[in-house]
Amino acid sequence: LQNMVSSFRVSELQVLLGFAGRNKSGRKHDLLMRALHLLKSGCSPAVQIKIRELYRRRYPRTIEGLSDLSAIKPAAFNLDSSSSPVEPDLAVAGIHPLPSTSVTPQSPSSPVSSVLLQDTKPHFEMQQPSPPIPPVHPDVQLKSLPFYDVLDVLIKPTSLVQSSIQRFQEKFFIFALTPQQVREICISRDFLPGGRRDYTVQVQLRLCLAETSCPQEDNYPNSLCIKVNGKLFPLPGYAPPPKNGIEQKRPGRPLNITSLVRLSSAVPNQISISWASEIGKNYSMSVYLVRQLTSAMLLQRLKMKGIRNPDHSRALIKEKLTADPDSEIATTSLRVSLMCPLGKMRLTIPCRAVTCTHLQCFDAALYLQMNEKKPTWICPVCDKKAAYESLILDGLFMEILNECSDVDEIKFQEDGSWCPMRPKKEAVKVSSPQCTKIESSSVVSKPCSVTVASEVNKRKVDVIDLTVESSSDEEEDPPAKRKCIFMSEIHGSPTKGVLMYQPSTARVPSVTTVDAAAIPPSLTDYPVPFHHPPISSISSDLPG
């Protein structure tokens, strides 16, 4: 009985301890210690019967004795020659097949069979006891895939059982499609660019660890090789390069085997899986009929789930900004960006996972498109898991985006309110490039005093730099250079030292001749003809 209990998994130990009225929570080691202590302290006959029952359920009796094998061989292996149904023959082994029974024949002469045989070699039970056999159909649950809807189970999770002590193992499985399933696959065919064809309804093969404690992710055994109807199925992606001479495992993902499946209800399909066995690791395979979804469909489903009430987010803001009495530092406001961290563009559909603690949102459409290409389901803000099921559309951010269209950042206050964070504008944009390009430095408006001319003298380095650097093309085109800035009197203080040109009512302004001493010597030597004649003589050019 101790050996039986020692071979139990967590689920069996919990059933046993629950039956005996003991605590069934904790890790496997604790459960095992409790169960063994129950045995040592002398358990009732009912508990002993329960242990045997659980053991029988955990390890179904294998076919013992060669006489039994010889009795079953003709029943199981003459399917090649006869077209009679399999069910009557299976009664010999006491196995009741399911509509899509997984198949594991060991004899190469029997491609179709629905009986699980241990081995057909006569010496297998003589020298050593066979290792404990995992259940044919373990109670394995696979993690749901957001981009696939399961329409039907073709082969339910089935153990990849070791049949010998050799390293490389091989198992055969068979499934058949109904006429309705064949029709669904055929009408879903989509022609893609480049002459490729793809099906949105697919036959999907999934492999995972035969672990029943929680939903399993796709996981490949070592040295995996899959054949569908005798044709090798290429595994997706690239195997990572060997590390220290050890072969690295491929990342697991679901396998779309539709292209190699016989789309006929008359002919069954055979899958051959070979792998390298690992001590202490059992794997499970299953086949499903699925419909592939697009990111647009998932976005539509997300919108149909509804928008999270803005009060949820306001409560979260208040909670984050509530002063902690033990802390010396108090957060009084939170700055949040309205730009998506994925696309660096303004959010359109603000979304985050309920499992995340931050307020920052990302764009739902972009996030789903990225996971459609490579499903990682990692939050781009905090790098934690953000599964599709946990995504929500944030109502508060929706309101903010609708109310302010010209702001990229906002600030939340302690009471849950928010205000836009606009960039600080410069006081007066006087120092624009056009202002510094005033060539007619000797044209001074009447209201200006001579101090302006002296200011120009002080800042003559600026004027020289700007004019000397002008290219010869600009010199040939004088009108482009003669831009004058018109400013009102009220801007008096910021424009100190900037020459102003105030036109009178007439097109030609009245211009005073300024003393030559006020003009910097560098300007009088300037080669452009514009500077040589006296200013009063060129006033007729100004209207042009």
Side-chain angles (χ1 to χ4, degrees), residues 428 430 452 487-500:
V428 178
V430 176
V452 176
M487 300 185 76
S488 61
E489 288 287 329
I490 49 173
H491 293 98
S493 59
T495 58
K496 190 177 178 187
V498 176
L499 297 169
M500 296 191 295

Side-chain angles (χ1 to χ4, degrees), residues 49-338:
I49 292 166
K50 188 70 178 173
I51 291 171
R52 289 193 173 89
E53 181 196 320
L54 285 168
Y55 185 77
R56 273 201 302 275
R57 202 184 304 166
R58 171 95 170 85
Y59 304 117
R61 289 269 177 86
T62 57
I63 301 158
E64 292 173 5
L66 298 176
S67 57
D68 293 342
L69 276 174
S70 58
I72 283 167
K73 248 184 161 179
F77 293 140
N78 64 359
L79 290 172
D80 292 338
S81 54
S82 72
S83 58
S84 60
V86 183
E87 281 79 348
D89 301 328
L90 290 177
V92 180
I95 296 173
H96 303 288
L98 292 139
S100 56
T101 314
S102 59
V103 176
T104 54
Q106 289 305 310
S107 164
S109 64
S110 59
V112 182
S113 165
S114 296
V115 182
L116 172 70
L117 295 180
Q118 187 57 7
D119 206 328
T120 52
K121 291 173 186 164
H123 63 271
F124 79 101
E125 79 227 337
M126 314 253 178
Q127 289 87 8
Q128 53 187 348
S130 57
I133 306 162
V136 181
H137 294 296
D139 191 17
V140 172
Q141 280 188 316
L142 283 136
K143 280 195 175 172
S144 62
L145 301 169
F147 284 102
Y148 297 96
D149 278 346
V150 176
L151 305 177
D152 236 324
V153 180
L154 300 175
I155 300 180
K156 65 181 188 173
T158 307
S159 295
L160 296 177
V161 187
Q162 256 184 269
S163 57
S164 64
I165 54 168
Q166 290 164 353
R167 181 163 183 246
F168 291 99
Q169 307 287 325
E170 186 172 15
K171 280 280 173 278
F172 295 88
F173 302 88
I174 282 188
F175 68 92
L177 297 168
T178 65
Q180 175 62 28
Q181 290 166 348
V182 172
R183 197 176 309 117
E184 278 193 55
I185 296 171
C186 290
I187 62 174
S188 76
R189 188 164 68 177
D190 209 0
F191 285 95
L192 300 176
R196 291 187 301 124
R197 64 181 189 185
D198 203 4
Y199 298 91
T200 50
V201 175
Q202 302 170 355
V203 177
Q204 187 182 75
L205 169 64
R206 296 185 71 180
L207 294 135
C208 69
L209 283 167
E211 182 60 57
T212 55
S213 55
C214 62
Q216 294 297 299
E217 291 185 341
D218 292 83
N219 197 333
Y220 299 158
N222 278 336
S223 308
L224 177 65
C225 176
I226 297 170
K227 288 180 184 173
V228 180
N229 294 320
K231 290 181 184 172
L232 186 68
F233 177 78
L235 294 176
Y238 297 98
K243 198 174 182 182
N244 302 331
I246 300 165
E247 181 191 351
Q248 296 297 293
K249 284 186 76 163
R250 283 172 182 267
R253 59 176 80 170
L255 305 170
N256 174 16
I257 60 171
T258 321
S259 57
L260 299 180
V261 168
R262 297 187 185 114
L263 296 180
S264 162
S265 56
V267 192
N269 290 278
Q270 186 193 58
I271 299 173
S272 148
I273 298 179
S274 65
W275 76 100
S277 59
E278 298 169 72
I279 296 169
K281 275 192 182 179
N282 287 322
Y283 288 86
S284 155
M285 68 81 72
S286 47
V287 180
Y288 303 92
L289 188 71
V290 297
R291 176 173 276 113
Q292 190 174 19
L293 307 173
T294 62
S295 56
M297 290 175 186
L298 288 193
L299 182 61
Q300 193 56 39
R301 285 187 186 180
L302 191 60
K303 286 177 178 174
M304 285 167 71
K305 258 170 58 175
I307 296 168
R308 190 83 178 272
N309 193 316
D311 294 338
H312 275 282
S313 300
R314 288 195 188 99
L316 187 64
I317 294 160
K318 288 175 186 171
E319 186 187 319
K320 282 182 175 293
L321 296 179
T322 304
D324 182 2
D326 302 332
S327 172
E328 293 178 7
I329 301 166
T331 311
T332 54
S333 63
L334 274 172
R335 287 176 69 158
V336 178
S337 172
L338 299 181

Side-chain angles (χ1 to χ4, degrees), residues 419-481:
C419 61
M421 297 286 291
R422 288 191 167 85
K424 290 177 184 175
K425 293 179 181 173
E426 295 169 25
V428 178
K429 294 184 180 177
V430 176
S431 59
S432 65
Q434 290 181 346
C435 294
T436 52
K437 281 189 179 177
I438 300 170
E439 294 293 333
S440 48
S441 51
S442 53
V443 178
V444 182
S445 58
K446 279 181 181 175
C448 280
S449 62
V450 185
T451 54
V452 176
S454 65
E455 291 270 2
V456 171
N457 229 352
K458 288 176 191 170
R459 301 177 65 154
K460 64 182 179 180
V461 181
D462 295 349
V463 179
I464 293 163
D465 284 350
L466 289 165
T467 53
V468 169
E469 283 175 8
S470 63
S471 64
S472 57
D473 295 343
E474 287 172 329
E475 286 166 14
E476 289 165 21
D477 191 15
K481 296 283 287 179

Side-chain angles (χ1 to χ4, degrees), residues 349-421:
I349 306 164
C351 159
R352 58 189 165 81
V354 287
T355 50
C356 293
T357 55
H358 51 79
L359 286 162
Q360 178 68 56
C361 290
F362 46 84
D363 194 85
L366 270 175
Y367 184 67
L368 292 173
Q369 283 166 23
M370 288 182 73
N371 281 288
E372 188 175 20
K373 296 277 180 247
K374 189 179 179 185
T376 53
W377 302 104
I378 298 289
C379 171
V381 179
C382 63
D383 288 336
K384 290 181 181 165
K385 280 280 180 193
Y388 175 71
E389 296 77 29
S390 65
L391 296 182
I392 48 133
L393 301 181
D394 194 303
L396 181 60
F397 272 79
M398 289 273 200
E399 285 179 8
I400 294 166
L401 288 165
N402 291 335
E403 284 179 38
C404 59
S405 57
D406 57 338
V407 177
D408 293 338
E409 197 172 25
I410 53 154
K411 184 162 78 173
F412 287 118
Q413 307 292 356
E414 290 177 56
D415 59 352
S417 63
W418 60 275
C419 61
M421 297 286 291

